[in-house]
Amino acid sequence: MWAVGRRETGAMSDRTTEVTRNEVLGRYELRADGELLSWAQFSVAADVVTVPHVETEPQHRGNHHSSTLMEGLVEDLRARDLRIEPLCWVARSYVESLPDAASLLAD
């Protein structure tokens, strides 16, 4: 299982967040102290990761968790030298906001 941990500031300042790639469920997950905050469904074909859906648990919406999740997801894709096909508008908006978007987006 791949994971990247970070310390959050603001509302989650005393919690450690971690983005993990859950191969069994086919999703990236953002957790804070073990609690699921947000997740992104994915599938892989060749060197392209397709992300059809990103969701934040209702009680955690409005705290930018999807951006934190996407940051970790993109970090993993870069480390694996993979590209992304973001079908979900949340994933697409995040990736297109990056300076290196063209190198990350699948054709």
Side-chain angles (χ1 to χ4, degrees):
M1 177 183 292
W2 174 89
V4 61
R6 47 179 59 83
R7 269 301 212 195
E8 286 291 300
T9 58
M12 306 289 291
S13 62
D14 294 332
R15 299 176 81 183
T16 300
T17 60
E18 182 177 62
V19 176
T20 58
R21 180 176 166 137
N22 185 328
E23 299 286 350
V24 174
L25 296 178
R27 67 186 194 182
Y28 284 86
E29 301 173 338
L30 172 67
R31 293 180 179 271
D33 298 332
E35 180 183 5
L36 181 64
L37 305 177
S38 188
W39 52 272
Q41 207 67 39
F42 77 91
S43 62
V44 181
D47 67 340
V48 176
V49 172
T50 301
V51 178
H53 186 72
V54 175
E55 185 167 331
T56 297
E57 294 297 318
Q59 66 273 27
H60 296 294
R61 291 181 182 155
N63 294 303
H64 307 285
H65 295 312
S66 60
S67 293
T68 303
L69 170 68
M70 288 303 301
E71 179 183 2
L73 186 155
V74 167
E75 186 177 319
D76 182 50
L77 297 185
R78 287 182 177 129
R80 296 172 188 259
D81 198 29
L82 298 173
R83 294 175 299 134
I84 185 170
E85 181 177 6
L87 302 180
C88 171
W89 70 269
V90 172
R92 179 162 295 281
S93 294
Y94 181 85
V95 174
E96 288 178 346
S97 75
L98 301 173
D100 62 340
S103 66
L104 290 168
L105 289 168
D107 297 329

